[in-house]
Amino acid sequence: SPVAETFRLIQGAMSEEYVRTTQGVFQFELSGDDAGTWYIDLKTKGGSAGFGKPPVTADVVMSMSSADFVKMFT
């Protein structure tokens, strides 16, 4: 799916530097074709991203359509 591909690219672009300088956890509540909860963790050990709730409490929770999420990151 476009959302899963976007998260795959985000995960591949993560670095210790991004984690060290950002120190935030972002949760995305998506609606539409790829509805569900996804996250980007830029706070914990090298960072992570994927489907489901983040491993720690999110600092920011955003709700949007999956189409808008993909547009935001492309």
Side-chain angles (χ1 to χ4, degrees):
S1 75
V3 170
E5 177 64 12
T6 300
F7 274 95
R8 188 186 68 73
L9 293 171
I10 291 167
Q11 180 73 46
M14 283 189 186
S15 70
E16 283 292 337
E17 182 179 342
Y18 285 147
V19 173
R20 186 174 55 256
T21 59
T22 305
Q23 288 296 296
V25 178
F26 305 90
Q27 181 174 320
F28 300 90
E29 296 296 336
L30 303 182
S31 60
D33 292 340
D34 291 318
T37 300
W38 296 77
Y39 72 92
I40 300 171
D41 177 357
L42 293 173
K43 192 180 256 186
T44 310
K45 279 190 193 176
S48 62
F51 183 74
K53 297 241 181 210
V56 296
T57 303
D59 298 301
V60 177
V61 178
M62 293 183 243
S63 298
M64 66 186 72
S65 73
S66 56
D68 285 346
F69 173 83
V70 172
K71 287 178 192 173
M72 183 171 76
F73 279 92
T74 54

